[in-house]
Amino acid sequence: MGGWAIAVHGGAGVDPNLPMERQEQAKQLLTRCLNLGISALRSDLAAIDVVELVVRELETDPFFNSGRGSALTAKGTVEMEASIMDGPKRRCGAVSGLTTVKNPVSLARLVMDKSPHSYLAFSGAEDFARQQGVELVDNEYFITEENVGMLKLAKEANTILFDYRIPLGSESCSAGVESPLHMNGLPISVYAPETVGCVVVDNQGRCAAATSTGGLMNKMTGRIGDSPLIGAGTYACDLSGVSCTGEGEAIIRGTLAREVAAVMEYKGLGLQDAVDFVIKERLDDGKAGLIAVSSKGEVAYGFNCMGMFRGCATEDGFMEVGIWE
Protein backbone atom coordinates (compact mmCIF):
# COMPACT_ATOMS: atom_id res chain seq x y z
CA MET A 1 0.00 0.00 0.00
CA GLY A 2 1.30 3.43 -0.92
CA GLY A 3 -1.06 5.52 1.21
CA TRP A 4 -4.00 7.61 0.09
CA ALA A 5 -4.17 9.84 -2.99
CA ILE A 6 -6.81 12.16 -4.42
CA ALA A 7 -7.40 14.16 -7.59
CA VAL A 8 -10.18 16.54 -8.59
CA HIS A 9 -11.02 18.20 -11.90
CA GLY A 10 -13.25 21.00 -13.13
CA GLY A 11 -13.11 20.25 -16.83
CA ALA A 12 -10.72 20.04 -19.76
CA GLY A 13 -10.55 22.59 -22.55
CA VAL A 14 -9.90 26.13 -21.30
CA ASP A 15 -9.79 29.40 -23.23
CA PRO A 16 -6.13 30.54 -23.26
CA ASN A 17 -7.44 34.07 -22.71
CA LEU A 18 -9.33 33.15 -19.54
CA PRO A 19 -8.99 36.23 -17.28
CA MET A 20 -6.57 35.86 -14.37
CA GLU A 21 -9.37 36.55 -11.91
CA ARG A 22 -11.28 33.55 -13.25
CA GLN A 23 -8.16 31.40 -13.11
CA GLU A 24 -7.62 32.29 -9.46
CA GLN A 25 -11.28 31.60 -8.61
CA ALA A 26 -10.98 28.17 -10.22
CA LYS A 27 -7.77 27.37 -8.33
CA GLN A 28 -9.27 28.48 -5.02
CA LEU A 29 -12.30 26.23 -5.52
CA LEU A 30 -10.14 23.27 -6.54
CA THR A 31 -7.89 23.83 -3.52
CA ARG A 32 -10.88 24.01 -1.18
CA CYS A 33 -12.30 20.77 -2.54
CA LEU A 34 -8.92 19.07 -2.44
CA ASN A 35 -8.47 20.06 1.21
CA LEU A 36 -11.98 18.80 2.00
CA GLY A 37 -11.04 15.42 0.56
CA ILE A 38 -7.66 15.36 2.30
CA SER A 39 -9.29 16.06 5.66
CA ALA A 40 -11.78 13.24 5.08
CA LEU A 41 -9.01 10.81 4.12
CA ARG A 42 -7.01 11.73 7.21
CA SER A 43 -10.17 10.88 9.19
CA ASP A 44 -10.15 7.42 7.58
CA LEU A 45 -13.27 7.97 5.46
CA ALA A 46 -13.61 5.32 2.74
CA ALA A 47 -12.71 6.29 -0.82
CA ILE A 48 -16.32 6.01 -2.03
CA ASP A 49 -17.49 8.44 0.66
CA VAL A 50 -14.73 10.91 -0.15
CA VAL A 51 -15.49 11.11 -3.89
CA GLU A 52 -19.16 11.72 -3.13
CA LEU A 53 -18.32 14.39 -0.55
CA VAL A 54 -15.98 16.28 -2.89
CA VAL A 55 -18.25 16.14 -5.95
CA ARG A 56 -21.19 17.35 -3.84
CA GLU A 57 -19.10 20.40 -2.96
CA LEU A 58 -18.32 21.01 -6.63
CA GLU A 59 -22.00 20.64 -7.54
CA THR A 60 -23.04 23.17 -4.91
CA ASP A 61 -20.63 25.88 -6.07
CA PRO A 62 -21.84 27.51 -9.34
CA PHE A 63 -18.36 28.07 -10.80
CA PHE A 64 -18.06 24.80 -12.74
CA ASN A 65 -20.60 23.02 -14.94
CA SER A 66 -22.41 20.67 -12.53
CA GLY A 67 -25.32 21.04 -10.16
CA ARG A 68 -25.93 24.75 -9.60
CA GLY A 69 -24.34 26.54 -12.56
CA SER A 70 -24.97 23.70 -15.03
CA ALA A 71 -24.96 24.43 -18.75
CA LEU A 72 -28.38 25.07 -20.27
CA THR A 73 -30.19 23.06 -22.90
CA ALA A 74 -31.43 24.67 -26.10
CA LYS A 75 -34.74 25.17 -24.25
CA GLY A 76 -33.04 27.08 -21.44
CA THR A 77 -33.45 24.33 -18.85
CA VAL A 78 -30.95 22.22 -16.93
CA GLU A 79 -30.59 18.44 -17.39
CA MET A 80 -27.86 16.99 -15.17
CA GLU A 81 -26.12 13.62 -15.04
CA ALA A 82 -23.65 11.90 -12.74
CA SER A 83 -22.08 8.56 -11.89
CA ILE A 84 -20.12 7.00 -9.06
CA MET A 85 -18.16 3.76 -8.82
CA ASP A 86 -16.62 1.82 -5.95
CA GLY A 87 -13.56 -0.20 -7.01
CA PRO A 88 -14.07 -3.14 -4.63
CA LYS A 89 -16.57 -5.44 -6.39
CA ARG A 90 -17.03 -2.73 -9.10
CA ARG A 91 -20.28 -1.44 -7.65
CA CYS A 92 -21.70 1.56 -9.50
CA GLY A 93 -24.63 3.95 -9.86
CA ALA A 94 -25.55 6.52 -12.49
CA VAL A 95 -28.29 9.06 -13.27
CA SER A 96 -29.26 11.25 -16.23
CA GLY A 97 -31.87 13.84 -17.12
CA LEU A 98 -32.17 15.29 -13.62
CA THR A 99 -33.98 18.61 -13.32
CA THR A 100 -34.74 19.00 -9.60
CA VAL A 101 -32.16 16.93 -7.65
CA LYS A 102 -29.81 19.29 -5.82
CA ASN A 103 -26.86 16.86 -5.76
CA PRO A 104 -26.92 14.39 -8.67
CA VAL A 105 -23.86 12.48 -7.44
CA SER A 106 -25.66 11.54 -4.23
CA LEU A 107 -28.63 10.20 -6.18
CA ALA A 108 -26.18 8.11 -8.23
CA ARG A 109 -24.82 6.78 -4.93
CA LEU A 110 -28.34 5.85 -3.85
CA VAL A 111 -28.94 4.04 -7.15
CA MET A 112 -25.84 2.00 -6.32
CA ASP A 113 -26.72 1.39 -2.66
CA LYS A 114 -30.53 1.36 -2.54
CA SER A 115 -31.78 0.07 -5.88
CA PRO A 116 -31.41 -3.20 -7.83
CA HIS A 117 -30.16 -1.19 -10.83
CA SER A 118 -27.04 0.63 -11.98
CA TYR A 119 -28.55 3.47 -13.99
CA LEU A 120 -31.78 5.49 -13.76
CA ALA A 121 -32.75 8.41 -16.03
CA PHE A 122 -35.25 11.24 -16.50
CA SER A 123 -38.66 10.73 -14.86
CA GLY A 124 -37.67 7.37 -13.38
CA ALA A 125 -34.64 8.91 -11.70
CA GLU A 126 -36.72 11.82 -10.40
CA ASP A 127 -39.32 9.40 -9.02
CA PHE A 128 -36.57 7.44 -7.28
CA ALA A 129 -35.20 10.67 -5.80
CA ARG A 130 -38.57 11.47 -4.26
CA GLN A 131 -38.87 7.94 -2.89
CA GLN A 132 -35.44 8.26 -1.28
CA GLY A 133 -36.22 11.67 0.21
CA VAL A 134 -33.25 13.48 -1.32
CA GLU A 135 -33.23 17.28 -1.39
CA LEU A 136 -35.16 18.65 -4.37
CA VAL A 137 -35.19 22.22 -5.68
CA ASP A 138 -36.86 24.09 -8.54
CA ASN A 139 -35.01 23.98 -11.87
CA GLU A 140 -34.43 27.73 -11.52
CA TYR A 141 -32.02 27.03 -8.63
CA PHE A 142 -29.49 25.60 -11.09
CA ILE A 143 -29.78 28.45 -13.61
CA THR A 144 -27.41 31.38 -13.25
CA GLU A 145 -27.78 34.78 -14.90
CA GLU A 146 -24.39 34.28 -16.50
CA ASN A 147 -25.47 31.04 -18.18
CA VAL A 148 -28.68 32.61 -19.47
CA GLY A 149 -26.55 35.25 -21.16
CA MET A 150 -24.17 32.65 -22.54
CA LEU A 151 -27.01 30.56 -23.94
CA LYS A 152 -28.26 33.64 -25.78
CA LEU A 153 -24.76 34.21 -27.13
CA ALA A 154 -24.50 30.55 -28.10
CA LYS A 155 -27.71 30.71 -30.10
CA GLU A 156 -26.52 33.82 -31.94
CA ALA A 157 -22.96 32.63 -32.60
CA ASN A 158 -21.47 30.13 -35.01
CA THR A 159 -18.20 29.94 -33.10
CA ILE A 160 -16.88 27.94 -30.18
CA LEU A 161 -17.07 29.34 -26.68
CA PHE A 162 -14.05 27.51 -25.32
CA ASP A 163 -15.00 28.58 -21.80
CA TYR A 164 -18.57 29.82 -21.56
CA ARG A 165 -17.82 31.62 -18.28
CA ILE A 166 -15.84 34.39 -19.99
CA PRO A 167 -17.69 37.64 -19.09
CA LEU A 168 -20.19 38.75 -21.70
CA GLY A 169 -18.78 41.33 -24.06
CA SER A 170 -15.27 39.91 -23.89
CA GLU A 171 -13.63 39.72 -27.30
CA SER A 172 -11.66 36.65 -26.19
CA CYS A 173 -14.61 34.35 -25.66
CA SER A 174 -15.00 33.10 -29.21
CA ALA A 175 -12.76 31.98 -31.98
CA GLY A 176 -14.06 34.45 -34.54
CA VAL A 177 -14.02 31.81 -37.28
CA GLU A 178 -16.26 28.93 -38.19
CA SER A 179 -16.00 26.23 -35.55
CA PRO A 180 -13.39 23.57 -36.40
CA LEU A 181 -14.71 21.30 -33.65
CA HIS A 182 -16.96 18.43 -34.62
CA MET A 183 -18.94 15.85 -32.69
CA ASN A 184 -20.12 12.73 -34.45
CA GLY A 185 -19.13 14.37 -37.74
CA LEU A 186 -21.22 17.50 -37.20
CA PRO A 187 -19.92 20.99 -36.34
CA ILE A 188 -21.08 22.29 -32.98
CA SER A 189 -21.49 25.97 -32.13
CA VAL A 190 -20.65 25.85 -28.46
CA TYR A 191 -18.52 23.53 -26.38
CA ALA A 192 -18.72 23.74 -22.58
CA PRO A 193 -16.64 20.87 -21.21
CA GLU A 194 -16.48 21.85 -17.55
CA THR A 195 -17.50 18.52 -16.10
CA VAL A 196 -16.37 17.95 -12.50
CA GLY A 197 -14.94 14.78 -11.02
CA CYS A 198 -12.97 13.23 -8.19
CA VAL A 199 -10.89 10.06 -7.86
CA VAL A 200 -9.58 8.67 -4.59
CA VAL A 201 -7.58 5.76 -3.24
CA ASP A 202 -7.81 5.45 0.54
CA ASN A 203 -5.19 4.09 2.95
CA GLN A 204 -6.60 0.58 2.50
CA GLY A 205 -5.95 0.68 -1.25
CA ARG A 206 -9.64 1.01 -2.22
CA CYS A 207 -10.22 3.10 -5.36
CA ALA A 208 -13.35 5.10 -6.20
CA ALA A 209 -14.40 7.64 -8.83
CA ALA A 210 -17.29 10.06 -9.36
CA THR A 211 -18.20 12.45 -12.19
CA SER A 212 -20.98 15.03 -12.54
CA THR A 213 -22.01 17.52 -15.23
CA GLY A 214 -24.68 19.71 -16.77
CA GLY A 215 -23.45 18.70 -20.22
CA LEU A 216 -23.05 20.97 -23.24
CA MET A 217 -24.34 24.53 -23.43
CA ASN A 218 -27.18 24.70 -25.98
CA LYS A 219 -27.37 20.88 -26.15
CA MET A 220 -30.43 19.07 -27.46
CA THR A 221 -32.79 18.05 -24.69
CA GLY A 222 -32.33 14.37 -23.92
CA ARG A 223 -28.63 14.36 -24.85
CA ILE A 224 -26.57 12.04 -22.66
CA GLY A 225 -22.81 12.43 -22.49
CA ASP A 226 -19.96 10.35 -21.11
CA SER A 227 -20.20 11.44 -17.46
CA PRO A 228 -22.91 8.97 -16.37
CA LEU A 229 -21.60 6.12 -18.51
CA ILE A 230 -19.60 3.58 -16.54
CA GLY A 231 -16.42 2.74 -18.42
CA ALA A 232 -16.54 5.96 -20.45
CA GLY A 233 -16.61 8.95 -18.11
CA THR A 234 -16.16 7.06 -14.84
CA TYR A 235 -14.54 3.79 -13.83
CA ALA A 236 -13.05 2.21 -10.72
CA CYS A 237 -11.75 -1.29 -9.98
CA ASP A 238 -9.11 -2.99 -7.84
CA LEU A 239 -6.34 -1.33 -9.88
CA SER A 240 -7.46 2.26 -10.41
CA GLY A 241 -10.11 4.96 -10.33
CA VAL A 242 -10.64 7.33 -13.29
CA SER A 243 -12.82 10.38 -14.05
CA CYS A 244 -12.87 11.91 -17.55
CA THR A 245 -13.79 15.30 -18.98
CA GLY A 246 -13.94 16.86 -22.42
CA GLU A 247 -15.61 15.91 -25.67
CA GLY A 248 -18.15 13.40 -24.42
CA GLU A 249 -18.81 11.65 -27.69
CA ALA A 250 -15.10 10.94 -28.16
CA ILE A 251 -14.78 9.70 -24.58
CA ILE A 252 -17.72 7.35 -25.14
CA ARG A 253 -16.25 5.93 -28.35
CA GLY A 254 -12.91 5.30 -26.66
CA THR A 255 -14.37 3.89 -23.41
CA LEU A 256 -11.68 6.10 -21.96
CA ALA A 257 -11.96 5.49 -18.22
CA ARG A 258 -12.03 1.71 -18.55
CA GLU A 259 -9.12 1.78 -21.00
CA VAL A 260 -6.79 3.11 -18.29
CA ALA A 261 -7.47 0.07 -16.11
CA ALA A 262 -7.34 -2.24 -19.14
CA VAL A 263 -3.86 -1.23 -20.28
CA MET A 264 -2.63 -1.40 -16.68
CA GLU A 265 -3.99 -4.94 -16.45
CA TYR A 266 -3.21 -6.28 -19.90
CA LYS A 267 -0.11 -4.31 -20.91
CA GLY A 268 1.37 -4.05 -17.43
CA LEU A 269 1.70 -0.26 -17.63
CA GLY A 270 2.08 1.96 -14.58
CA LEU A 271 -0.59 4.57 -13.86
CA GLN A 272 0.95 7.61 -15.58
CA ASP A 273 2.07 5.55 -18.58
CA ALA A 274 -1.45 4.13 -18.86
CA VAL A 275 -2.97 7.61 -18.76
CA ASP A 276 -0.53 8.90 -21.39
CA PHE A 277 -1.17 5.89 -23.65
CA VAL A 278 -4.96 6.26 -23.47
CA ILE A 279 -4.92 10.02 -24.11
CA LYS A 280 -2.64 9.52 -27.13
CA GLU A 281 -4.09 6.34 -28.63
CA ARG A 282 -7.81 6.19 -27.77
CA LEU A 283 -9.23 9.64 -28.53
CA ASP A 284 -8.73 9.69 -32.31
CA ASP A 285 -9.49 13.35 -33.14
CA GLY A 286 -11.32 14.01 -29.87
CA LYS A 287 -10.18 16.41 -27.15
CA ALA A 288 -10.36 15.33 -23.52
CA GLY A 289 -8.57 14.85 -20.24
CA LEU A 290 -8.75 12.62 -17.19
CA ILE A 291 -7.58 12.20 -13.62
CA ALA A 292 -6.63 8.85 -12.11
CA VAL A 293 -5.38 7.11 -8.97
CA SER A 294 -3.99 3.63 -8.47
CA SER A 295 -4.36 1.18 -5.60
CA LYS A 296 -0.64 1.76 -4.92
CA GLY A 297 -1.32 5.35 -3.87
CA GLU A 298 -0.26 6.97 -7.15
CA VAL A 299 -2.02 9.92 -8.78
CA ALA A 300 -1.88 10.96 -12.44
CA TYR A 301 -3.59 13.13 -15.02
CA GLY A 302 -3.42 13.80 -18.74
CA PHE A 303 -5.11 15.92 -21.43
CA ASN A 304 -4.66 16.70 -25.12
CA CYS A 305 -6.42 20.06 -25.21
CA MET A 306 -5.74 23.60 -24.04
CA GLY A 307 -5.67 23.20 -20.27
CA MET A 308 -7.56 21.24 -17.63
CA PHE A 309 -8.73 22.52 -14.26
CA ARG A 310 -7.27 20.01 -11.79
CA GLY A 311 -5.75 19.41 -8.39
CA CYS A 312 -4.11 16.38 -6.82
CA ALA A 313 -2.46 15.34 -3.57
CA THR A 314 -0.89 12.28 -1.93
CA GLU A 315 -0.32 11.17 1.65
CA ASP A 316 3.43 11.85 1.42
CA GLY A 317 2.79 15.61 1.18
CA PHE A 318 2.66 16.19 -2.59
CA MET A 319 -0.01 18.69 -3.67
CA GLU A 320 -0.59 20.45 -6.99
CA VAL A 321 -3.36 22.69 -8.33
CA GLY A 322 -3.18 23.89 -11.93
CA ILE A 323 -4.85 24.69 -15.23
CA TRP A 324 -2.19 24.65 -17.95
CA GLU A 325 0.46 22.10 -18.87
Side-chain angles (χ1 to χ4, degrees), residues 278-294:
V278 167
I279 291 292
K280 182 180 179 181
E281 302 293 341
R282 294 294 183 263
L283 279 168
D284 301 318
D285 295 325
K287 300 296 184 182
L290 62 86
I291 54 173
V293 292
S294 78

Side-chain angles (χ1 to χ4, degrees), residues 11-298:
V14 185
D15 191 318
N17 297 309
L18 183 67
M20 286 302 300
E21 180 183 2
R22 286 291 196 186
Q23 294 185 38
E24 288 307 310
Q25 288 174 342
K27 288 180 181 179
Q28 289 171 13
L29 174 55
L30 291 166
T31 300
R32 189 178 85 225
C33 291
L34 205 54
N35 284 327
L36 178 68
I38 290 169
S39 178
L41 284 163
R42 287 173 174 165
S43 300
D44 292 327
L45 213 63
I48 190 67
D49 297 320
V50 179
V51 295
E52 180 186 4
L53 176 71
V54 171
V55 172
R56 278 180 63 94
E57 184 72 12
L58 288 162
E59 288 174 341
T60 302
D61 192 294
F63 190 87
F64 290 127
N65 174 16
S66 67
R68 187 163 183 264
S70 283
L72 305 181
T73 69
K75 293 183 178 180
T77 59
V78 165
E79 290 182 357
M80 301 166 292
E81 49 198 28
S83 62
I84 191 168
M85 191 164 187
D86 195 13
K89 298 184 179 180
R90 291 193 286 267
R91 300 168 60 245
C92 60
V95 289
S96 288
L98 300 183
T99 59
T100 65
V101 176
K102 188 174 183 181
N103 289 108
V105 71
S106 290
L107 187 62
R109 175 76 185 271
L110 286 169
V111 171
M112 179 178 79
D113 288 343
K114 302 293 185 181
S115 86
H117 306 302
S118 295
Y119 195 162
L120 293 175
F122 296 93
S123 61
E126 296 274 345
D127 290 345
F128 179 69
R130 285 187 286 272
Q131 293 166 10
Q132 293 297 315
V134 304
E135 186 173 1
L136 304 177
V137 292
D138 292 335
N139 198 248
E140 287 74 19
Y141 162 84
F142 304 103
I143 299 173
T144 63
E145 182 179 349
E146 187 174 36
N147 283 352
V148 171
M150 283 300 167
L151 178 63
K152 182 175 183 292
L153 189 63
K155 288 179 176 293
E156 294 171 352
N158 291 315
T159 54
I160 306 167
L161 302 185
F162 287 99
D163 186 322
Y164 67 84
R165 288 160 204 280
I166 301 290
L168 285 172
S170 169
E171 293 182 359
S172 67
C173 69
S174 64
V177 295
E178 186 177 348
S179 168
L181 185 63
H182 288 66
M183 281 190 178
N184 292 335
L186 299 173
I188 62 170
S189 59
V190 174
Y191 181 43
E194 292 178 336
T195 300
V196 305
C198 180
V199 293
V200 166
V201 57
D202 59 28
N203 56 19
Q204 295 186 40
R206 297 173 298 195
C207 297
T211 312
S212 181
T213 191
L216 298 176
M217 181 68 78
N218 200 25
K219 67 182 179 181
M220 295 172 63
T221 55
R223 183 260 184 184
I224 293 172
D226 67 286
S227 296
L229 300 184
I230 299 302
T234 304
Y235 192 74
C237 61
D238 289 339
L239 287 173
S240 62
V242 181
S243 175
C244 299
T245 172
E247 187 183 343
E249 279 69 11
I251 294 170
I252 292 168
R253 292 193 301 271
T255 57
L256 213 62
R258 165 60 184 153
E259 278 291 289
V260 174
V263 296
M264 290 177 72
E265 182 176 358
Y266 302 133
K267 292 176 72 71
L269 297 184
L271 183 67
Q272 187 65 62
D273 286 342
V275 169
D276 293 342
F277 177 86
V278 167
I279 291 292
K280 182 180 179 181
E281 302 293 341
R282 294 294 183 263
L283 279 168
D284 301 318
D285 295 325
K287 300 296 184 182
L290 62 86
I291 54 173
V293 292
S294 78
S295 58
K296 296 178 180 179
E298 302 164 303

